[in-house]
Amino acid sequence: MSISSEHKPLGKQVTGSLHTLSPIVELNVGGEMYTTTLSTLKKHPGSKLAEMFTGQPKLRTDSEGRFFIDRPGTYFKYILEYLRSNQVPTQCIQDVYKEALFYDIEPLIKQLEDSPQIFGELVARRQFLARVPNYSENIELMIRIARAEAVASRHSSVIVCVVRTEEDAARCQDALSSLDMDKKSVVKFGPWKAVPSISDLLDCIQMDVEARGYKISFQPHVAEKGFRFKSHDFFYRFLFTWW
């Protein structure tokens, strides 16, 4: 038996064109609820966010019929405020930048990239680290070594050799060979051609390891016999604290 359209049960999924919906839209963004208008969401036609609400629905709905976006809801309020009033956020800049990239809101992306926080990260720090050979791989190696030594321990440490120039690398070779003979793992960073110093790179290493959720500190590696120079010039011990 067929059911006429006026007697069909009302489901939670939205069907048909968005043009037939109310201009007022309710959203569930990662568990945070928002109410806005279609025109606000489609303010920048080239964005991924506008595409979500253009033509046929491209989003699922929650149990209350609200459009669901599986992204951090906390930061969507800053996205929405920008769409409503062109106000560039001054809080949670890094997180809002990630969301702006996801929603592909080009004008907001460009304005955030001009902020000191994003500019400093993308143009200054990241450009420097791109000139340090195998930087990301070495960070991963440090973490693997520390985790391997963490069994039944509160702390584990990793020896790091940081050399800025080819000359420094040559000077460290004997010490590296000595540590290798003692079966001590050493992660070597550098050399690089950029202004930042060894101290700057050490700060970057700590920053990026901590960004992975680890508690870490570092200090000069204590000199041992056989070193032909002060070990703290190039060798450092990074301490991971597990509990």
Side-chain angles (χ1 to χ4, degrees):
M1 178 180 176
S2 63
I3 302 176
S4 63
S5 60
E6 62 267 26
H7 292 102
K8 287 183 181 180
L10 294 174
K12 296 303 181 184
Q13 282 191 317
V14 177
T15 57
S17 171
L18 280 168
H19 294 298
T20 64
L21 299 178
S22 165
I24 307 301
V25 180
E26 291 187 347
L27 302 172
N28 177 345
V29 185
E32 298 282 341
M33 310 307 164
Y34 294 94
T35 302
T36 186
T37 65
L38 277 176
S39 60
T40 295
L41 295 170
K42 298 196 295 182
K43 183 174 181 179
H44 297 284
S47 70
K48 182 177 179 180
L49 185 62
E51 182 184 342
M52 291 177 182
F53 294 93
T54 301
Q56 295 295 323
K58 300 175 178 64
L59 295 170
R60 295 182 178 181
T61 55
D62 66 11
S63 60
E64 299 299 322
R66 293 172 292 230
F67 287 105
F68 178 72
I69 302 177
D70 194 13
R71 294 295 296 180
T74 304
Y75 310 115
F76 189 74
K77 63 182 178 182
Y78 300 109
I79 299 293
L80 203 53
E81 187 60 33
Y82 176 77
L83 295 174
R84 287 169 171 163
S85 61
N86 290 323
Q87 180 176 329
V88 179
T90 57
Q91 302 178 53
C92 308
I93 299 297
Q94 298 280 357
D95 295 301
V96 176
Y97 179 66
K98 292 177 184 177
E99 298 310 297
L101 289 172
F102 173 78
Y103 294 114
D104 196 19
I105 304 173
E106 192 64 30
L108 177 56
I109 292 171
K110 290 181 178 179
Q111 290 184 69
L112 288 174
E113 287 180 348
D114 283 337
S115 69
Q117 298 94 321
I118 304 299
F119 180 87
E121 175 67 15
L122 295 180
V123 178
R125 198 175 85 93
R126 283 294 159 190
Q127 287 297 317
F128 158 53
L129 295 178
R131 302 184 184 188
V132 180
N134 303 313
Y135 177 81
S136 297
E137 293 84 348
N138 283 341
I139 293 292
E140 295 295 334
L141 179 57
M142 285 180 62
I143 292 172
R144 288 202 300 272
I145 293 172
R147 291 175 68 92
E149 297 181 357
V151 178
S153 300
R154 183 171 187 180
H155 304 282
S156 56
S157 62
V158 179
I159 299 175
V160 168
C161 174
V162 184
V163 290
R164 184 175 177 182
T165 66
E166 295 288 352
E167 292 77 12
D168 291 340
R171 292 177 62 199
C172 288
Q173 195 54 53
D174 287 346
L176 288 168
S177 299
S178 176
L179 289 167
D180 184 58
M181 290 178 62
D182 291 339
K183 300 186 183 303
K184 294 183 179 180
S185 299
V186 181
V187 181
K188 179 174 170 288
F189 288 84
W192 63 85
K193 294 181 180 180
V195 173
S197 65
I198 287 177
S199 175
D200 294 325
L201 183 64
L202 292 169
D203 288 340
C204 287
I205 294 171
Q206 182 173 13
M207 185 185 307
D208 288 329
V209 173
E210 287 180 339
R212 298 282 299 275
Y214 295 93
K215 185 177 181 180
I216 189 175
S217 60
F218 67 89
Q219 61 187 21
H221 179 55
V222 177
E224 298 178 5
K225 293 181 179 179
F227 280 40
R228 297 181 180 178
F229 52 86
K230 293 184 293 183
S231 62
H232 64 255
D233 287 341
F234 306 107
F235 288 85
Y236 298 83
R237 184 178 294 273
F238 278 78
L239 186 69
F240 287 71
T241 300
W242 301 103
W243 51 273

